[in-house]
Amino acid sequence: MASRVIPVGPFDLVIFGGTGDLARRKILPALFRRFCAGQMCGDARIISAARAEMDSAAYRDFARSAILEFDDNDACAADNLEGFLEQLSYITLDARGDTGWPALKGALREGPVQAFYFSVGPGLFGDLAERLHKYGIAGPESRIVVEKPFGRDLASAQALNKGLAQHFDENQIYRIDHYLGKETVQNLMAIRFGNTLFEPLWNAQYVDHIQITVAESVGVGTRGGYYDKSGAMRDMMQNHLMQLLCLIAMEPPAKFDPAAVRDEKLKVIRALDPLEPEDVVRGQYEGTDERPGYCDQVENHDTRTETFIAIKARIGNWRWAGTPFYMRTGKRLKARASEIAVVFKDAPHSIFGATTGRHRNILTIRLQPNEGIELGVTIKEPGPGGMRLVDVPLDMSFAEALGPDSGDFPDAYERLIMDVVRGDQTLFMRGDEVEAAWEWVDPIIEAWQEADSAPILYDSGSSGPDDALRLMHKDGRRWREIKT
Ligand code: NAD
């Protein structure tokens, strides 16, 4: 069963920062794949605007090599590429000056949807917003897309929101968290709210705890300069992991629409109990004979930036009081693996006696690799020898259930950019959500800074510091193994 593609109408998409790393690796390949899928109509235009001096022909060469390097979808035939590139043009523009703005105004059409992707550092968001208005380019129907990081604390996030709000209404602002664009994350909502099976069990009475793991096997590589000013709490926990937590924990929204979904997510963040220092473990990876440690990859060798964080979070509401949410994320861990595991409570009484051991239902939502959903159920081990129980996975393989093409779903950027064009904000973060998330993590970051505390060192290729294991052990629980 091939996926159904509904073409979007004509649009002008301006990519500010169109020569940058994000445009090269993600935005351009994502747009190309939507073009190949037949979703971008021939009347769509993509205008890249950045500081570099070049003309549109040179930019098309740049885009061609980016797509050939980063688009790994063989289904996109090479002969599609030239057709796609024809829809691209380039303008040299200075976000902080006057260069390029009149040319940009001249290049845009009246009528089609207008979207402006701010693929530049957050320091330029305010400049771009201001000039889009000063030059009469953006109107009340225009949309802007902003990338992470959205601030580095509550105060800076508020300042960014305020800067954007001077020129754009909230319903024009699309704050990207690409985790929300992942197929499985949306499937999580379909599973929760499209079935009667899970929702009655989705609470503290039946769920023992929830684990969210986003593990990377790579270190910071060449991004040390950026990362050292950020760290795992700001770079991953405050946005991606907290967004996943919201989707797992939120009440059923009345409708699958932007206001209803985002209202429910916000309520979760506001219901989080304040973090206590003993609920948080910070780590930093050490080097091996072959690979340098984090502190050798950044300028400040005494750096106290964390590359790992584990948190025990509690949600103070009727649904979740008593069910902890354990979240961890880190670099240079055992494997690249991200998953959410909903661990249900033991059956209240075992009719099979103590010898059959402990069995639990676990619903696992795998984000990477092999996006998919798995439900662990207990059955009788086949064969003679009495009642022996064994846990087996009910694996929801999209390919088996829906046909071989069903695994070719769009990646997060493809879906999110098309949502911008369609004007659907459901999978984007609202300003108040972002601020509430900073409000929750800020006191812990401030406490580290005040105490000048150093993260605990952990071995590259491990599961993180032992203290993170103890965070669960002391509650009589343990993390699931990080494996690909
Ligand atoms: P980059 O440094 O590679 O590119 C920055 C772009 O901004 C370039 O095209 C540059 O020409 C343009 N630019 C800089 N100053 C300008 C000015 N004064 N006027 C006009 N254009 C100017 O950055 P990037 O890695 O592409 O990141 C862009 C944004 O996306 C950042 O906010 C970053 O935090 C975010 N982001 C990046 C990634 C990634 O994987 N690269 C992932 C998530 C979020």
Side-chain angles (χ1 to χ4, degrees):
M1 191 169 71
S3 58
R4 203 154 48 94
V5 173
I6 303 170
V8 294
F11 65 87
D12 284 352
L13 171 69
V14 178
I15 311 173
F16 292 115
T19 58
D21 180 61
L22 186 70
R24 226 163 55 84
R25 287 193 307 111
K26 293 287 180 189
I27 304 173
L28 290 169
L31 286 165
F32 175 55
R33 282 194 293 272
R34 286 298 89 204
F35 176 85
C36 295
Q39 196 164 24
M40 255 175 69
C41 68
D43 204 12
R45 288 198 199 155
I46 298 155
I47 303 162
S48 267
R51 253 188 325 197
E53 298 272 353
M54 67 169 103
D55 60 15
S56 293
Y59 187 74
R60 286 187 197 114
D61 290 341
F62 167 88
R64 183 184 296 108
S65 53
I67 289 166
L68 291 174
E69 186 176 354
F70 293 106
D71 175 47
D72 49 10
N73 187 349
D74 296 337
C76 295
D79 37 314
N80 276 328
L81 188 50
E82 296 311 312
F84 171 74
L85 295 174
E86 274 171 28
Q87 294 182 233
L88 259 62
S89 59
Y90 181 80
I91 291 172
T92 301
L93 175 142
D94 184 3
R96 295 212 159 113
D98 295 319
T99 310
W101 291 96
L104 178 60
K105 184 173 167 64
L108 292 168
R109 300 169 291 175
E110 274 187 27
V113 166
Q114 260 184 17
F116 301 95
Y117 199 129
F118 291 12
S119 182
V120 296
L124 295 179
F125 290 178
D127 298 290
L128 291 176
E130 193 189 316
R131 280 170 179 73
L132 280 171
H133 270 76
K134 181 176 152 191
Y135 288 93
I137 295 173
E141 302 297 323
S142 309
R143 294 153 202 176
I144 59 169
V145 186
V146 293
E147 268 293 341
K148 80 165 206 186
F150 201 84
R152 50 177 288 106
D153 53 19
L154 176 61
S156 54
Q158 283 171 329
L160 282 175
N161 275 335
K162 211 169 148 201
L164 296 179
Q166 281 178 9
H167 305 288
F168 294 94
D169 289 339
E170 184 60 38
N171 64 12
Q172 297 180 276
I173 305 172
Y174 292 71
R175 293 175 195 77
I176 284 216
D177 185 323
H178 70 273
Y179 269 61
L180 295 181
K182 286 180 182 284
E183 181 73 15
T184 318
V185 171
Q186 289 167 75
N187 230 322
L188 165 62
M189 287 191 272
I191 285 209
R192 276 196 66 189
F193 306 128
N195 297 284
T196 47
L197 195 61
F198 296 106
E199 201 49 28
L201 308 178
W202 211 260
N203 54 52
Q205 196 183 341
Y206 293 103
V207 177
D208 178 73
H209 71 278
I210 286 167
Q211 302 187 14
I212 304 177
T213 296
V214 176
E216 293 176 83
S217 53
V218 294
V220 288
T222 53
R223 290 181 67 233
Y226 158 78
Y227 193 87
D228 207 39
K229 295 191 204 89
S230 171
M233 183 72 135
R234 290 187 169 106
D235 192 48
M236 297 294 292
M237 184 63 75
Q238 183 274 345
N239 39 58
H240 305 318
L241 278 87
M242 284 187 72
Q243 286 292 320
L244 298 179
L245 168 96
C246 288
L247 296 177
I248 285 277
M250 71 182 182
E251 295 300 314
K255 278 192 239 156
F256 188 61
D257 79 10
V261 171
R262 299 188 303 176
D263 282 351
E264 295 305 338
K265 280 161 57 196
L266 178 63
K267 281 187 215 161
V268 174
I269 304 175
R270 292 204 170 136
L272 283 164
D273 288 350
L275 280 171
E276 300 296 336
E278 63 271 20
D279 296 334
V280 183
V281 176
R282 280 168 94 204
Q284 189 187 85
Y285 63 80
E286 288 191 290
T288 61
D289 289 344
E290 295 86 38
R291 297 194 287 180
Y294 176 72
C295 62
D296 294 320
Q297 291 181 293
V298 294
E299 215 168 281
N300 171 15
H301 297 325
D302 293 325
T303 176
R304 300 199 154 196
T305 301
E306 76 285 352
T307 59
F308 174 96
I309 187 143
I311 280 181
K312 175 182 175 183
R314 298 177 190 82
I315 300 175
N317 64 17
W318 274 47
R319 187 186 282 266
W320 292 118
T323 295
F325 286 68
Y326 300 94
M327 303 189 276
R328 64 179 165 168
T329 181
K331 293 193 177 290
R332 271 295 175 82
L333 297 177
K334 245 179 174 169
R336 176 172 180 260
S338 302
E339 65 164 40
I340 302 168
V342 181
V343 181
F344 290 92
K345 287 187 175 167
D346 293 349
H349 165 70
S350 170
I351 64 166
F352 305 112
T355 51
T356 51
R358 189 178 187 189
H359 297 274
R360 283 187 153 179
N361 299 121
I362 301 178
L363 178 69
T364 313
I365 297 125
R366 271 192 319 269
L367 303 176
Q368 63 191 19
N370 313 323
E371 282 195 69
I373 291 171
E374 188 181 288
L375 178 64
V377 292
T378 302
I379 60 162
K380 177 190 167 297
E381 198 176 324
M387 185 58 88
R388 294 185 315 271
L389 300 186
V390 63
D391 292 332
V392 292
L394 279 183
D395 204 337
M396 195 185 299
S397 153
F398 297 127
E400 264 176 40
L402 304 172
D405 294 340
S406 58
D408 297 338
F409 34 71
D411 93 349
Y413 275 90
E414 291 175 58
R415 169 172 293 119
L416 294 173
I417 296 171
M418 289 299 112
D419 278 358
V420 174
V421 174
R422 278 189 291 256
D424 184 345
Q425 288 184 303
T426 312
L427 300 176
F428 295 82
M429 296 181 295
R430 208 166 56 191
D432 50 4
E433 270 183 81
V434 178
E435 290 185 15
W438 281 121
E439 215 171 327
W440 189 62
V441 302
D442 266 5
I444 285 289
I445 299 177
E446 280 161 19
W448 296 336
Q449 281 162 354
E450 262 166 44
D452 197 19
S453 66
I456 303 162
L457 297 175
Y458 62 92
D459 291 338
S460 287
S462 69
S463 302
D466 287 347
D467 283 42
L469 305 180
R470 279 194 281 275
L471 187 71
M472 287 196 77
H473 285 176
K474 67 186 182 200
D475 294 342
R477 302 183 173 106
R478 63 194 163 94
W479 292 104
R480 286 162 55 78
E481 201 186 326
I482 298 176
K483 54 180 184 205
T484 46

